Amino acid sequence: MASDQGAPTTNVAAWDTAFERAAIETQRILAEHYENAPKWASAFREQRNIVAQHIEGYKPRARAVDCQDWIKANNRHIPGVVRKRRFVPTPRVKGMMGPMNVVQYQRYAIQIMSRVLNLRTNASPFTLVLDDLNQRATPLINEMVRRAISRNINVVMVSFQSAASHPAIRHIPAFGDHSGDEILAEIERAVTDFRESLVIVDSLNDLTHDKRVDMSTLFNLVAIKYASTLIGVYHQDMLPQPTATNTYAPPTLDVLKFMATAVITCKSFAHVLATKAARERSLAEPTHGLLQGAEGIVECLDANDHRGIVLEAEFRRKSGRPELESYFLRLARNSDYNPPMPGMLFGTLRREYVTLLDQVPAYTNDDVIGLVNAAANEIESTFNLSLTDKQKAARERVVLPYVDAQKGEGGQGGRILYDMGAEDDFDEEEDEI
């Protein structure tokens, strides 16, 4: 029997073959050859399992149907209890943390976005979503609403653009003659009976400009007083309206970006591919929608791509340092969620399917460069820049000045060689050569 102090010199090939097989087959071979596996074999097997978890093809285990960490069992608020955000301690690492490799950074970036989408505690109290006609924020909002309902979180929709919503959503119609104070009162009544809620405003343009609701008041009501999450959608294609009360007030969008703890910009996947293809060929990036400057065009082709939505996210840390990353969120499938439990409308999320944009095969493929028209390589001009054969022959017969200078024996310095023509007027004082 081999010693435990080191690896045996014999049967090494047999051990390597055994570790390549399935776990059951490995146990059978170990039992046949040795009564007790040596320590080096057990350590090697554990090391292989750890390495296997860091390869790109590794997928985490699916979330259980009744995952207690996902579903909030009792989201009802007890009267008299002060609402406070639960403090989530950060694990301390002894010593200095080494630099992250590519796989570790990808997991870290996806985890940050996953916490925002899953409405985790203190992930982002106020998330600002920027969209336009070329890419609406509807797929992102629908995904966050579905995850909130699957976690048993109260969802409140302050709607300016739709008259009805899902029965599980508390719908507050904000259009019409409703004033800003009435809207705030309805929001407070909708979140009073729950410990944690999700308040979505589908148009911050109308809320701030038409209803004259102060964003600081809304933020204090939702995020601070009731310890809930606020999500606001701002349409960038709507022209800002100047305020008559204070001419020197900053633009509304700048104020929203300053207050937000996370800013997510929605872009069409087809437009992002076209921009990348133009950048790879050193061409001017294409413009879309209103930026084209064409009269009558407000939404261009390939807008609202059905394959998915690109999210350019900016996360604000407590230290003030922002973290920027681009993500790709495809449309949800039925296989992404577990079957719902009794009394629930949606099941728990099996695995996270939001990915980094650099991990999408369609984005990293070299064929993306072919999306740009081949005619873009040609110089566009109103006149012909090509030369005829006669012009090329005349160009070859021209003797350049430096050719004669190279024939000399040297020592003439920077003397200029010039042959005067019949039309030249010689001046002894100015034209000395």
Side-chain angles (χ1 to χ4, degrees), residues 143-187:
E143 180 63 25
M144 299 185 74
V145 168
R146 182 171 184 174
R147 297 190 182 192
I149 296 177
S150 67
R151 297 194 61 202
N152 195 24
I153 296 178
N154 178 38
V155 180
V156 180
M157 175 68 72
V158 182
S159 178
F160 288 90
Q161 301 175 352
S162 60
S165 59
H166 196 274
I169 302 176
R170 292 176 175 263
H171 183 261
I172 299 178
F175 50 84
D177 298 333
H178 300 280
S179 63
D181 296 335
E182 294 177 353
I183 295 175
L184 294 177
E186 289 291 337
I187 294 175

Side-chain angles (χ1 to χ4, degrees), residues 218-278:
L218 179 62
F219 180 80
N220 293 332
L221 174 64
V222 177
I224 297 180
K225 183 177 180 180
Y226 290 98
S228 299
T229 303
L230 175 63
I231 297 178
V233 181
Y234 188 88
H235 306 308
Q236 298 184 95
D237 48 8
M238 297 181 63
L239 298 178
Q241 301 177 3
T243 58
T245 57
N246 189 1
T247 309
Y248 299 98
T252 305
L253 182 57
D254 295 343
V255 176
L256 295 175
K257 289 182 178 180
F258 179 79
M259 295 179 57
T261 54
V263 180
I264 300 177
T265 304
C266 304
K267 290 189 176 182
S268 175
F269 185 53
H271 295 170
V272 173
L273 294 180
T275 302
K276 179 179 183 294

Side-chain angles (χ1 to χ4, degrees), residues 90-377:
T90 304
R92 295 183 177 272
V93 181
K94 295 183 179 180
M96 296 184 62
M97 183 178 179
M100 293 187 297
N101 54 29
V102 177
V103 178
Q104 291 175 343
Y105 174 76
Q106 291 176 352
R107 290 188 179 182
Y108 169 74
I110 293 176
Q111 182 183 12
I112 296 178
M113 190 64 185
S114 179
R115 286 176 54 84
V116 176
L117 295 178
N118 297 336
L119 306 174
R120 292 297 184 179
T121 304
N122 299 331
S124 177
F126 176 33
T127 302
L128 176 63
V129 181
L130 305 178
D131 71 341
D132 52 17
L133 289 175
N134 295 308
Q135 182 56 64
R136 285 301 189 186
T138 304
L140 175 61
I141 298 300
N142 292 341
E143 180 63 25
M144 299 185 74
V145 168
R146 182 171 184 174
R147 297 190 182 192
I149 296 177
S150 67
R151 297 194 61 202
N152 195 24
I153 296 178
N154 178 38
V155 180
V156 180
M157 175 68 72
V158 182
S159 178
F160 288 90
Q161 301 175 352
S162 60
S165 59
H166 196 274
I169 302 176
R170 292 176 175 263
H171 183 261
I172 299 178
F175 50 84
D177 298 333
H178 300 280
S179 63
D181 296 335
E182 294 177 353
I183 295 175
L184 294 177
E186 289 291 337
I187 294 175
E188 187 171 5
R189 281 193 292 268
V191 301
T192 300
D193 299 334
F194 296 89
R195 293 183 179 180
E196 185 175 350
S197 302
L198 171 63
V199 180
I200 301 176
V201 181
D202 62 357
S203 179
L204 290 177
N205 310 71
D206 298 329
L207 184 67
T208 56
H209 296 156
D210 297 342
K211 304 302 180 180
R212 302 296 180 182
V213 175
D214 189 9
M215 281 304 302
S216 60
T217 304
L218 179 62
F219 180 80
N220 293 332
L221 174 64
V222 177
I224 297 180
K225 183 177 180 180
Y226 290 98
S228 299
T229 303
L230 175 63
I231 297 178
V233 181
Y234 188 88
H235 306 308
Q236 298 184 95
D237 48 8
M238 297 181 63
L239 298 178
Q241 301 177 3
T243 58
T245 57
N246 189 1
T247 309
Y248 299 98
T252 305
L253 182 57
D254 295 343
V255 176
L256 295 175
K257 289 182 178 180
F258 179 79
M259 295 179 57
T261 54
V263 180
I264 300 177
T265 304
C266 304
K267 290 189 176 182
S268 175
F269 185 53
H271 295 170
V272 173
L273 294 180
T275 302
K276 179 179 183 294
R279 191 185 305 114
E280 292 290 340
R281 304 176 70 172
S282 300
L283 299 176
E285 296 184 2
T287 56
H288 307 95
L290 297 176
L291 297 178
Q292 290 181 344
E295 184 178 358
I297 296 180
V298 294
E299 180 178 341
C300 60
L301 299 176
D302 297 331
N304 300 293
D305 197 340
H306 65 279
R307 290 174 292 182
I309 179 175
V310 177
L311 307 175
E312 294 184 355
E314 177 183 352
F315 305 104
R316 311 282 178 77
R317 298 177 63 91
K318 293 182 179 180
S319 60
R321 180 174 63 90
E323 294 186 1
L324 307 176
E325 192 54 69
S326 298
Y327 300 88
F328 177 76
L329 178 64
R330 60 172 175 82
L331 298 180
R333 305 168 184 169
N334 294 331
S335 59
D336 295 331
Y337 290 84
N338 291 314
M341 296 180 59
M344 300 289 293
L345 295 177
F346 300 103
T348 59
L349 180 67
R350 288 178 179 269
R351 294 186 182 93
E352 184 58 70
Y353 53 87
V354 62
T355 59
L356 295 177
L357 184 60
D358 295 335
Q359 293 179 312
V360 180
Y363 183 79
T364 57
N365 193 359
D366 295 336
D367 296 338
V368 176
I369 303 177
L371 295 176
V372 180
N373 192 354
N377 287 334

